[in-house]
């Protein structure tokens, strides 16, 4: 199932995603579905592990609107040459309703493959650079609240406990697969694409 966004503390959000070795029609379909989910939830970016797919892929559109702005598919992305610093508010579709000020490099250079297999290399700055860095972090299992200052972290604690309780309830209700099933599913995806 890659048809819904998983929430903190789902373990796939902390799992280091694997390099993609091949892209086929079903995977392109999943990538298209990631855009659908991202727009549906008013997001500007979504990483594959947020739909429980442990592969180095993310999608983004800084406008957040279908048919507007620019849609980016990044497969096996690398970020280089960070420059400057900027602080701005961020949120995450895997932690709905939570926001915090995050400081990141203001510029980065992106190298990634698009869905057609073309290598795309370009400098990014401003909001798009922020979105891409946030999604890139996801692929390493890093969440935006890992990068916030101690004062904000303190404020986050009770809200994280709420997410943890909701997750435990989802497990009890059978909405979330047991841990060993999640491990097996990640292995199946890796065998197929990584
Ligand atoms: Co996020």
């Amino acid at each position: 199932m890659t048809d819904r966004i998983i929430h903190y503390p789902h373990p796939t959000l902390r799992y280091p995603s694997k390099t993609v070795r091949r892209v086929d029609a079903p995977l392109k379909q999943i990538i298209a579905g990631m855009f659908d989910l991202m727009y549906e939830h008013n997001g500007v970016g979504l990483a594959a592990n947020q739909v429980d797919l442990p592969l180095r892929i993310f999608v983004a559109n800084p406008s957040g609107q279908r048919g507007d702005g620019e849609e980016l598919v990044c497969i096996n992305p690398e970020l280089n040459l960070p420059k400057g610093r900027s602080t701005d508010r961020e949120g995450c579709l895997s932690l709905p309703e939570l926001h915090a000020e995050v400081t990141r490099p203001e510029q980065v250079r992106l190298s990634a493959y698009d869905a057609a297999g073309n290598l795309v290399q370009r400098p990014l700055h401003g909001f798009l650079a922020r979105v891409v860095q946030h999604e890139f972090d996801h692929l390493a299992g890093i969440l935006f609240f890992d990068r916030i200052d101690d004062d904000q972290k303190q404020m986050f604690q009770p809200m994280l406990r709420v997410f943890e309780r909701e997750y435990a309830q989802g497990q009890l209700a059978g909405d979330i697969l047991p841990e060993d099933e999640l491990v097996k599913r990640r292995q199946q995806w890796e065998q197929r694409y990584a």
Side-chain angles (χ1 to χ4, degrees):
M1 267 195 324
T2 54
D3 58 355
R4 67 175 173 181
I5 297 174
I6 58 174
H7 290 171
Y8 171 85
H10 191 296
T12 304
L13 292 172
R14 290 303 197 185
Y15 186 78
S17 294
K18 299 293 184 271
T19 300
V20 179
R21 299 288 172 208
R22 65 192 195 95
V23 177
D24 59 8
L27 188 56
K28 286 182 187 171
Q29 202 74 44
I30 290 171
I31 292 169
M34 286 169 59
F35 276 110
D36 294 342
L37 280 172
M38 182 185 86
Y39 291 129
E40 191 185 311
H41 292 87
N42 301 311
V44 290
L46 188 68
N49 61 335
Q50 293 181 277
V51 295
D52 200 17
L53 182 69
L55 302 174
R56 294 187 60 79
I57 302 172
F58 65 77
V59 301
N61 181 343
S63 83
Q65 304 285 328
R66 191 189 293 279
D68 191 21
E70 183 193 2
E71 288 192 342
L72 236 70
V73 175
C74 296
I75 300 173
N76 299 338
E78 296 296 337
L79 298 182
N80 293 295
L81 304 174
K83 266 190 219 145
R85 265 161 76 86
S86 118
T87 302
D88 206 347
R89 202 168 122 97
E90 287 187 24
C92 181
L93 296 180
S94 291
L95 292 136
E97 317 283 317
L98 288 196
H99 296 91
E101 298 282 321
V102 184
T103 300
R104 300 184 182 276
E106 202 275 330
Q107 296 177 39
V108 284
R109 185 172 175 80
L110 167 70
S111 304
Y113 292 90
D114 66 17
N118 304 306
L119 179 62
V120 176
Q121 291 185 294
R122 55 190 269 192
L124 304 176
H125 67 94
F127 185 60
L128 183 55
R130 174 171 299 277
V131 172
V132 163
Q133 290 176 81
H134 175 116
E135 301 313 325
F136 184 82
D137 271 353
H138 272 297
L139 303 183
I142 298 168
L143 296 167
F144 78 106
F145 67 79
D146 298 333
R147 296 197 183 277
I148 63 181
D149 61 34
D150 288 345
D151 287 350
Q152 293 187 95
K153 256 185 196 147
Q154 285 241 310
M155 283 180 18
F156 256 54
Q157 289 309 320
M159 298 184 275
L160 295 181
R161 297 296 93 78
V162 172
F163 277 104
E164 287 159 12
R165 276 200 298 278
E166 278 173 8
Y167 186 80
Q169 282 160 4
Q171 279 179 315
L172 283 174
D175 295 338
I176 295 161
L177 289 175
E179 204 86 355
D180 56 333
E181 287 292 322
L182 292 176
V183 169
K184 208 184 295 172
R185 277 211 348 201
R186 285 197 296 263
Q187 284 169 348
Q188 284 166 356
W189 285 119
E190 287 173 24
Q191 276 161 14
R192 198 158 158 197
Y193 291 113

